[in-house]
Every structure is written in structure tokens, then in C-alpha cells.
Amino acid sequence: MTVVSGWGVLPACLAALALAAGCSREDGFGEVDPPQTFIETYQVVLEDAPEGDIADVAEDALEVYLRQDDGANSRSFLVQRARGDLETLRRLLRSRGYYEGDATVEITPEAAEAVILTFRLAPGPLYTLAAHRLTLTGRDDAAIQAPGDAAPALDLAQLGSPVGEPALAEPIVAAEDRAVARLRRAGFAYARFRSRDAVADTEAKTIEVTSVIEPGLRYRVGAISFSGVTSVEEAYLRSYVETEPGAVFDGSKLRATQQRLRGTGLFNVVRIARPAEPPSDGVLPLTITVEERLPRTVAAGIRYDTTEGPEVFGRLTHRNLLGENETGTIEATLGQELIEFDAELRKPQFLRDRQVLVARVVARNEDREAFDGPTSIISLGLERSLTPFWTVGLGGAVEFSRITDNRGTKESSFLGVPAFVAYDSTDDLLDPRRGERLRLTATPYTGPSDGMSVSFLMLDIAASTYVPLTRDRNYVLALRGRLGSVQGVAFEDIPANYRVYAGGGESVRGYGRDLIGPIDAFNSPTGGLAVMEVGAELRAEFLPDIGGVLFIEAGSVTQDDTPDFRNGVQVALGLGLRYYSPVGPVRFDVGFPIEARDVDDPFQFYVSIGQAF
């Protein structure tokens, strides 16, 4: 047996595991040559590397790779550079479990032209981690610690240490980090890793590791104070704090508090600090320091597509109207087919944690191929976050409209009760590259329309998923689907603005807006009572900030209240260009309808900010 401390070298001359190399090695060089002519280019060859990522990591770590484009002042300089990389290669072998591993290098030819550096690895046997023990050490003040404040027992194997498997450094260190994190979640706020010792059996080719962690005292939270708050009510901010004075310290709750405060949109910086030195009384005061953002934001944008033409919008947002993160947003949209004013007020933490009161007023006038006329909406509702991914909502709305289509004009006054369930695990709002989205909406309506009482239920479910095809997520497969239905009303009795439609830049690209499904004698879309949409898009960011997409989308609209694919599904193909700007991807898409009708254009072109879905 040989005792080693840390991740030491196993000298070839001793055939045993040790902390540092204790004897010289043959490296393929004699005396260092005197300076010669400048070497503009050289090649690097890595031979006999074992399976795994050693070759890839070497390219990112060795100086001979990192400085390859610089060349070398002379053969002597290159020799010194290569010699300096030998110990890096030996450490790399040890980190992958090859504790007897060695490396040599030679340079050929002797002349300065066409120089080749050849590293030869001798990995030796792969060692197995036979045991990984944890020793807790440090302060143990019985006068302070209560009987229940002893550090919990931890099993490093259960925390991911590769016991019984190759003794790789990364998972061993990761298990130690998890042990420290587990202690900090259990109240030991100053727990820290101290040291690591190892015993190697060079005959059995195994290693046993003992890690030493100092847990310190188990703390309870003391006073919680805020710093840097100027315009936000402190009582409101405390509603986001996940712990309270007297509770056992839990580092994960501090991180959750930090994330929630950042999520309010009120601050540029949120820091939670504890005393630099461990308090001796077992009580841990906390200071939350914030740097407030400017409360107002102004935004403007433009979108364009072939059917609807240009459309511009402007938005003014105030995130702290009354001192408790009340967010007011006013948005105006001006286009050839839509003029809209939208005002919304959101009050978070309304009556209970994670609940938002939402009030909204919308006034719009639409001039679409399917219909035209004004609509006004006043709504009030509650939204509640159940988990970081799941949100539910329920509200009430009063809607007034005067809509004209080819069947005539209908004046309607409806009372609606919109409800929704939403799931979102994506990594980005405008450019998702992994995760899923799901939204189910159900809204019953009732009220007079064109002199008669009408009641109906609108159902809509939309889902999408984003699958990264490469580790860097530069290539993504995006899939989506939508089903919608209007239940309980005849097609002739429902106003045209409450029917379902498909087609356009946010639906099936390649077809004009609303032009999926039936059209009347005037070549105007009629809409329907049921809709289906599916789409697939391959996204690629092949240059910094530049990318492209290929997509296929299909849709169907029927005048029955269930999708009926016998009437045909309309399909479109297309491609697009993406510029990944600081505010989100700017997209340029062109779609082509398959089996276009006389009413369909040969193609549709779209420009906007954000991915299509």
C-alpha cells in the first residue's frame, strides 16, 4: 500500500501512487537547442490516448495547442513549451483514473520546417474507487449546539461518488461539493471542504479516498435587513423572503429568495450576505442588498408580412406605480388591418403569495379579410403560480363588439369567464432552445348577439417542445400543435370575431392571414368552429448571431365543432433567416403554400422579432 494526499502523481520509478513526482522522466529531449529560425507552423499529434475525452480536453488545455497559431520563436522555445505541457497531460490522466499514467514528447524533424510534436501517452491501468469516506471535523461547542444540532450523517456514494467504478476526479469532487451543499441546507452555513487523502493499492489497482469537511456550527436565521431600497415598500419585499428569523439556516432558501426578488423586475442587482466571520452564538443575521432599476421602460417595434402589410407598436411600462411592484403597461398598435389600444395593470402578491391581480382594458378596430369592426374588452382576473413551471388563472370579462362580415353585421355584448392552465419550462421567452410549453384555455360566453341570446364555450389547447440537437444548443428541433373548438352554438349564430381561424405569420406560414379553411363566394375566409395546426421547425445558429430555419406547417379549419380532416389539410413549406440581436432574434421568413388555391399567393413573407413559436 502507498499513502497519497490529494491527487498526487504515481511515479513510474516506484509504480505507486504519490502526491508529487519524485523522480525524473524521459521526455524525448536531450539538451535544449540554441535559438534557431522562427517556426511559423507546427503540428501536434497525441498518440495512445485512452478512450474518453482526454484528447478533446488536451486541445483546450495544452499550450502547444492554444498558441499554435502564434508559431514559435525557435525550436528551443517550442521544446520548452512542449515540456511544460507534460505535467498537464499527467494530471489529466490522473483525473481520469490513470494514476500510473505518464507522457513523453518528441519533436521531428531537427530542422525548423514542417515541425511535428508527438506526445505519447502511457496511461497504465485504470484505477477503481474502492471506498470514499467522509470525516467531519472542526468546532464542536456543546455550550452553543443543541442536542439536535449535530451534523447529519452523509454517504458520499449516495451523493454521486463513483464507488466501485473508475476513480475519476470530477465525480469525486462533485460528491464533496454536494456534501458541503447538503450541510449548508441543514443549517451549517459555513461548512467547507478541508482536505482529501488517498490510499492506493498498486497491486489491486484500487484507491480509497477520505475527504475531510468542516461543518462548523449549525445556525438559525437572525435579523433580516434590507439595504439599497429607496422606492419599494420593504414590507412587500419581505413577502418574497423564503425564510424567517428563528428558522434553521438553509442556503437553498436564500438562493430561492434571490431569484424571486430578481424576478420582480425591480432590481439590477440582488445580493444576500451573511457575516464574513462565523458568529459564535449560533445566530446568523442576513443583509439583502439591492440596486433598483429605473421603473419605466419604453419599447417600440415593427412587423411585416405580405398579407397584413407593416404594423408598428409602442409600449410604455412602469414597474412600481404605488411602491409594491404594481406594473402598468400601455401599448398601442397601428397597422393596415389592426388599430389597438391595450392597457393592463398587474398587482403581484395580491392577498397571498405568488398570486397576481390582473386588470385590463382593450379597444381595437380590425379590418381583416374575414370581418371588420370595433371590439372593446374590460377584464379582471387572478393568476397564481403553483410551481416555477405551472400557472393557473381565472377571471371575468365584459366584451362589446360590432362586427361585419359577408353575412351582415352583428352587435354583441358578452360576459365571459376565461380560465387557463399553463406550463412553461423553456429557457428563453423569445428564443427557446429547450423545454416545453402547454396552455389550455376555456372561456364560456353568454349574452345578446343580434337581438338573440347566445351561449357558447371556446376551448383552445396549444403545445410546443424544443429539443436541442447539439450540446451548445445551436441546432434545435422545434415542434408545435394546436387544437381549438367552439362548442354549443351554430356556425350562423356566432359573431365572426369569435370563430376560429388559421393562417398567417403566427399560425401556418405560407398562407395569408385566416386563409386556412373555407372561403366564401367573394374569396373571403369564413372561419369555423374547429381548428387544427401542427408545425415543425429546424433552427440552426451557424454563425455568431446569424442563423436559419427550415419549417413545415399545416392547418385545418372546419365549420363543425370538431376537427374534420376529410375536408383537407393545407400544408406549407418555408425557410428563414435569423439575426440574434440583444433584444431577441429578428426573423425573416418566407413560406410557400402546397397546392395553392386561386386565392392564395405564391408565397408569404414575414418580418418580426422573436421565433415563430
Side-chain angles (χ1 to χ4, degrees):
M1 286 271 193
T2 302
V3 179
V4 291
S5 175
W7 301 112
V9 178
L10 183 62
C13 57
L14 298 178
L17 199 62
L19 271 176
C23 54
S24 62
R25 309 173 191 272
E26 282 294 321
D27 54 24
F29 294 113
E31 295 298 322
V32 176
D33 294 339
Q36 299 176 9
T37 58
F38 183 80
I39 298 175
E40 294 185 0
T41 61
Y42 61 86
Q43 298 180 27
V44 182
V45 177
L46 195 65
E47 292 186 352
D48 302 324
E51 292 184 2
D53 63 349
I54 287 180
D56 293 335
V57 175
E59 291 189 16
D60 295 331
L62 300 186
E63 287 291 317
V64 293
Y65 284 112
L66 298 176
R67 300 176 61 184
Q68 193 169 9
D69 292 341
D70 299 334
N73 289 336
S74 68
R75 184 174 181 274
S76 299
F77 277 95
L78 187 57
V79 167
Q80 294 291 351
R81 186 183 301 172
R83 280 178 168 173
D85 282 333
L86 287 175
E87 184 55 32
T88 300
L89 277 172
R90 294 167 187 142
R91 289 197 303 268
L92 178 57
L93 286 169
R94 295 195 297 274
S95 74
R96 298 305 188 266
Y98 297 96
Y99 293 97
E100 297 180 20
D102 201 359
T104 61
V105 65
E106 64 179 20
I107 184 170
T108 56
E110 295 296 322
E113 296 81 14
V115 171
I116 299 176
L117 286 175
T118 302
F119 289 95
R120 291 187 174 87
L121 303 185
L126 180 62
Y127 273 63
T128 298
L129 181 63
H132 191 181
R133 303 179 183 89
L134 175 63
T135 298
L136 300 180
T137 186
R139 296 180 55 179
D140 185 14
D141 193 335
I144 295 174
Q145 298 288 68
D149 286 343
L154 299 173
D155 187 332
L156 291 174
Q158 293 181 356
L159 294 175
S161 185
V163 177
E165 302 175 7
L168 307 185
E170 184 176 353
I172 291 174
V173 174
E176 295 166 342
D177 292 341
R178 293 188 190 101
V180 172
R182 184 74 60 85
L183 287 167
R184 289 179 178 174
R185 288 197 298 272
F188 298 87
Y190 294 88
R192 59 175 178 165
F193 171 80
R194 291 297 301 270
S195 63
R196 181 189 307 108
D197 293 322
V199 176
D201 187 331
T202 55
E203 294 181 0
K205 308 305 180 187
T206 61
I207 183 171
E208 296 183 2
V209 177
T210 300
S211 301
V212 181
I213 292 177
E214 180 182 315
L217 295 177
R218 189 171 191 242
Y219 285 90
R220 283 169 171 74
V221 176
I224 302 174
S225 59
F226 283 84
S227 176
V229 179
T230 59
S231 63
V232 187
E233 295 293 335
E234 187 174 305
Y236 168 74
L237 297 180
R238 288 186 182 276
S239 70
Y240 287 93
V241 178
E242 296 279 323
T243 189
E244 59 184 11
V248 173
F249 173 85
D250 186 340
S252 64
K253 291 185 177 181
L254 265 60
R255 289 190 294 274
T257 297
Q258 189 176 38
Q259 292 172 357
R260 293 193 66 193
L261 288 172
R262 286 174 176 168
T264 63
L266 294 171
F267 308 112
N268 290 318
V269 176
V270 178
R271 292 189 298 269
I272 303 180
R274 61 188 183 185
E277 294 297 324
S280 60
D281 59 359
V283 178
L284 194 66
L286 301 173
T287 301
I288 303 176
T289 301
V290 300
E291 178 185 303
E292 293 188 9
R293 293 177 60 190
L294 294 176
R296 297 176 184 83
T297 300
V298 177
I302 186 170
R303 64 183 299 272
Y304 173 86
D305 69 44
T306 309
T307 301
E308 300 174 55
E311 185 176 277
V312 297
F313 75 89
R315 182 189 305 120
L316 172 64
T317 301
H318 194 301
R319 287 178 292 275
N320 195 34
L321 286 170
L322 303 175
E324 292 191 350
N325 201 194
E326 300 89 352
T327 301
T329 302
I330 297 175
E331 183 171 318
T333 302
L334 178 62
Q336 292 181 352
E337 295 191 353
L338 175 66
I339 299 175
E340 182 177 75
F341 174 85
D342 190 337
E344 182 183 76
L345 175 66
R346 299 177 64 88
K347 181 173 177 55
Q349 302 293 85
F350 181 72
L351 299 181
R352 61 185 301 177
D353 189 30
R354 303 178 189 273
Q355 185 164 277
V356 183
L357 176 69
V358 183
R360 189 179 181 196
V361 176
V362 179
R364 71 167 68 99
N365 189 75
E366 297 176 273
D367 185 9
R368 295 160 61 167
E369 288 290 332
F371 62 86
D372 62 76
T375 300
S376 301
I377 303 172
I378 301 173
S379 64
L380 185 68
L382 294 174
E383 296 180 4
R384 179 164 173 75
S385 297
L386 303 179
T387 73
F389 298 146
W390 287 98
T391 305
V392 297
L394 179 67
V398 179
E399 304 184 11
F400 308 94
S401 62
R402 187 175 188 275
I403 299 300
T404 300
D405 64 2
N406 289 332
R407 295 173 177 268
T409 300
K410 290 182 182 291
E411 292 190 6
S412 305
S413 301
F414 287 136
L415 173 65
V417 184
F420 75 87
V421 177
Y423 175 86
D424 191 340
S425 64
T426 57
D427 56 349
D428 190 276
L429 178 63
L430 295 178
D431 185 22
R433 301 198 179 195
R434 70 173 181 183
E436 294 80 34
R437 289 174 179 165
L438 171 69
R439 188 178 181 93
L440 172 62
T441 304
T443 307
Y445 285 100
T446 187
S449 176
D450 199 26
M452 61 181 294
S453 180
V454 177
S455 297
F456 56 95
L457 174 65
M458 296 192 70
L459 298 171
D460 195 278
I461 181 170
S464 57
T465 184
Y466 308 89
V467 182
L469 303 179
T470 56
R471 182 175 298 179
D472 58 11
R473 303 182 202 165
N474 283 342
Y475 291 82
V476 176
L477 176 64
L479 306 170
R480 75 172 185 93
R482 176 198 172 204
L483 289 174
S485 177
V486 184
Q487 300 282 323
V489 66
F491 176 79
E492 296 79 9
D493 295 335
I494 189 171
N497 57 326
Y498 288 92
R499 300 173 192 155
V500 292
Y501 298 88
E506 309 300 324
S507 177
V508 180
R509 289 164 287 177
Y511 288 91
R513 184 178 183 184
D514 304 337
L515 281 175
I516 296 291
I519 56 176
D520 61 19
F522 302 96
N523 283 336
S524 296
T526 66
L529 298 182
V531 60
M532 179 279 295
E533 297 175 1
V534 293
E537 186 169 86
L538 179 62
R539 301 172 180 172
E541 185 177 359
F542 44 77
L543 292 174
D545 299 331
I546 300 295
V549 303
L550 298 173
F551 61 85
I552 178 171
E553 295 178 328
S556 172
V557 172
T558 62
Q559 294 184 354
D560 297 325
D561 58 10
T562 56
D564 183 359
F565 306 125
R566 293 174 299 179
N567 292 332
V569 176
Q570 292 165 258
V571 181
L573 299 172
L575 70 165
L577 182 68
R578 298 291 183 269
Y579 166 62
Y580 295 94
S581 74
V583 297
V586 180
R587 66 182 178 103
F588 307 85
D589 289 340
V590 58
F592 304 90
I594 305 302
E595 297 183 356
R597 304 161 299 183
D598 292 340
V599 70
D600 298 318
D601 293 327
F603 66 90
Q604 294 282 327
F605 182 66
Y606 311 92
V607 180
S608 65
I609 295 178
Q611 297 285 9
F613 61 92

